[in-house]
Amino acid sequence: MKELSYDILIKLASEIASIEKKERENLPYNANIIEDIKIKENAHSRILTTLLNYAGHDHSFPVYQIFIDLLKKKCCSIKNITIHNPNITAEKERIDILIDESHESPSYSIIIENKVCWVDDQFEQIERYIKKVQGHNVPNESIFVIYLTKYGNKKVSDKSLTQKAKGILDYDDKKLCRFIELNYKDDLLPMFISSANQIDRDKEPLLYSSLIQYADYWKGKFSMRNGEKKIAQKIAKYMADKLNVNSIQNCLKISDNLESLQNALDEKQNELMKQVLNEKVVEPLKKCLGDGYQFELSEFFNITPPTWKHAYICLFKDDSRDLFIGVYGSAFTCTTTNALQSA
């Protein structure tokens, strides 16, 4: 195998992208709305939340029940969970997906950290999410964390899943551990297909069509449609010839290099974004707004006016990569109009 470098991998990635684009242009048109709008990570969280939340004509939660059955195969501690009336939300308290039955007995909460787009882990990210759920009066032994990825090859970092978080989740105890790794290819895609096959399509036509569309979307992503399988095979041969890949060890080495490259790109992107926000947004706003405003640069860019106690203004990147601004929070005491006019 050729000696790998980031330059070789970047060049090969560009060549493969060109081949894939050319080959896909020759495929018959596939009518998948989700694929056409080119969704990103937070949209996947919203779609999954919608599917899990679907109550059905009989007020059951058909997809969520199958999801819990999947988790029970992965985690012994989750076998005691009983579904009552789950509160399933997307992006609440900055958690990708939060499933909460803290009002029931026994109570439980499931945190889903969605890394489908390989976004870099944030400092103490999972530990912070656990603290928020503890604030709902859920006991530690009833808090579960799911680390959801595309293929299953992205692993959580120690900076996110800290020693404290591992202790709370009994990470080192195979029987009690409540940290669960799931991925779309091996876990959720089969779950979507199974859910579609189990529901009554005449009684639940919207749920059925949603599951079929989303399953087909992921089949496309994993080159599991008939035409795309041939493209995947052609790309695999091209890569193998270019890098002289002839063993499993070679493949694993390339995979490790790609993971390192992706992590480096994520880190640099976050660094550059914070630098631009600080220079072009934070510093000018500080001069404009004066004292009392708090600025936070983390996963998002948050501005908290001096009179706002439980809310903040958030600048965030949408699925289309455009920047948007919104107000998040509730039950705050302030003169909202004046604060927004000042901003």
Side-chain angles (χ1 to χ4, degrees):
M1 187 181 75
K2 293 181 179 179
E3 187 64 29
L4 290 177
S5 68
Y6 283 173
D7 289 339
I8 291 175
L9 290 173
I10 291 170
K11 183 175 183 295
L12 181 60
S14 178
E15 293 170 353
I16 287 174
S18 297
I19 293 172
E20 182 177 22
K21 181 180 179 182
K22 183 178 179 180
E23 292 292 329
R24 282 185 177 276
E25 288 173 353
N26 297 324
L27 287 175
Y29 183 73
N30 186 65
N32 190 298
I33 296 172
I34 301 173
E35 193 170 56
D36 287 342
I37 60 177
K38 296 178 173 59
I39 64 175
K40 299 297 178 183
E41 183 174 294
N42 53 351
H44 284 296
S45 295
R46 293 197 297 271
I47 291 172
L48 182 55
T49 299
T50 297
L51 294 174
L52 296 177
N53 251 328
Y54 193 92
H57 71 285
D58 57 353
H59 302 289
S60 65
F61 293 85
V63 181
Y64 184 54
Q65 181 62 67
I66 294 172
F67 180 69
I68 290 295
D69 291 342
L70 169 64
L71 295 184
K72 287 179 178 179
K73 296 176 183 178
K74 304 272 186 177
C75 174
C76 296
S77 299
I78 213 163
K79 291 182 178 179
N80 297 324
I81 281 182
T82 302
I83 299 174
H84 298 285
N85 186 29
N87 181 25
I88 308 174
T89 56
E91 299 164 34
K92 182 180 180 181
E93 298 185 85
R94 304 189 200 177
I95 298 173
D96 290 335
I97 301 175
L98 177 61
I99 302 170
D100 186 77
E101 288 217 66
S102 56
H103 54 285
E104 298 292 346
S105 181
S107 62
Y108 70 90
S109 287
I110 301 174
I111 298 165
I112 302 180
E113 177 58 16
N114 195 342
K115 295 295 184 181
V116 64
C117 295
W118 205 290
V119 175
D120 192 29
D121 291 337
Q122 301 293 322
F123 179 68
E124 296 184 349
Q125 189 171 24
I126 291 176
E127 181 181 327
R128 285 187 278 113
Y129 294 164
I130 291 173
K131 286 180 181 177
K132 290 176 181 179
V133 170
Q134 287 173 326
H136 301 176
N137 295 319
V138 178
N140 288 348
E141 61 271 18
S142 297
I143 297 175
F144 302 84
V145 173
I146 295 173
Y147 196 74
L148 178 60
T149 60
K150 188 174 182 179
Y151 293 102
N153 55 345
K154 176 176 171 56
K155 301 301 179 182
V156 66
S157 66
D158 289 336
K159 72 176 182 181
S160 175
L161 185 64
T162 61
Q163 285 300 317
K164 183 176 181 180
K166 288 179 179 179
I168 294 170
L169 297 172
D170 291 311
Y171 182 81
D172 295 322
D173 189 320
K174 290 184 179 180
K175 291 185 177 180
L176 298 178
C177 179
R178 295 182 305 285
F179 179 82
I180 307 165
E181 292 181 308
L182 292 183
N183 68 78
Y184 277 88
K185 185 177 183 181
D186 300 319
D187 299 310
L188 293 198
L189 174 55
M191 184 191 81
F192 299 143
I193 295 172
S194 175
S195 298
N197 290 335
Q198 290 185 46
I199 65 170
D200 188 330
R201 69 178 70 180
D202 294 324
K203 292 182 178 179
E204 309 291 355
L206 293 178
L207 176 60
Y208 177 77
S209 63
S210 298
L211 287 165
I212 291 296
Q213 278 276 305
Y214 202 39
D216 178 73
Y217 167 86
W218 281 112
K219 286 180 180 179
K221 285 295 180 183
F222 299 131
S223 299
M224 295 171 67
R225 298 173 184 146
N226 290 333
E228 287 158 339
K229 287 180 182 178
K230 294 179 180 179
I231 296 176
Q233 291 168 355
K234 183 172 183 177
I235 289 174
K237 185 178 184 305
Y238 181 84
M239 180 204 68
D241 292 342
K242 281 286 185 177
L243 299 178
N244 192 26
V245 177
N246 50 27
S247 70
I248 293 175
Q249 287 79 6
N250 292 160
C251 289
L252 292 173
K253 185 175 181 181
I254 292 172
S255 180
D256 289 342
N257 277 274
L258 288 173
E259 183 174 352
S260 298
L261 177 59
Q262 183 65 62
N263 289 336
L265 286 171
D266 287 341
E267 193 69 32
K268 191 61 180 177
Q269 178 179 294
N270 291 336
E271 177 189 326
L272 291 172
M273 182 172 289
K274 287 182 179 181
Q275 181 180 327
V276 171
L277 280 171
N278 190 60
E279 292 177 359
K280 304 297 184 182
V281 180
V282 176
E283 292 304 322
L285 278 176
K286 282 182 178 178
K287 293 178 182 178
C288 173
L289 297 175
D291 298 332
Y293 284 80
Q294 296 179 12
F295 299 88
E296 178 188 357
L297 283 173
S298 55
E299 298 135 274
F300 306 99
F301 170 47
N302 303 325
I303 308 170
T304 306
T307 55
W308 290 27
K309 305 302 181 186
H310 302 287
Y312 53 91
I313 301 167
C314 179
L315 184 68
F316 61 94
K317 185 172 65 174
D318 193 63
D319 302 330
S320 61
R321 294 182 180 271
D322 293 327
L323 289 175
F324 290 86
I325 191 168
V327 177
Y328 288 78
S330 61
F332 52 91
T333 305
C334 71
T335 309
T336 307
T337 305
N338 292 340
L340 290 174
Q341 286 175 346
S342 298

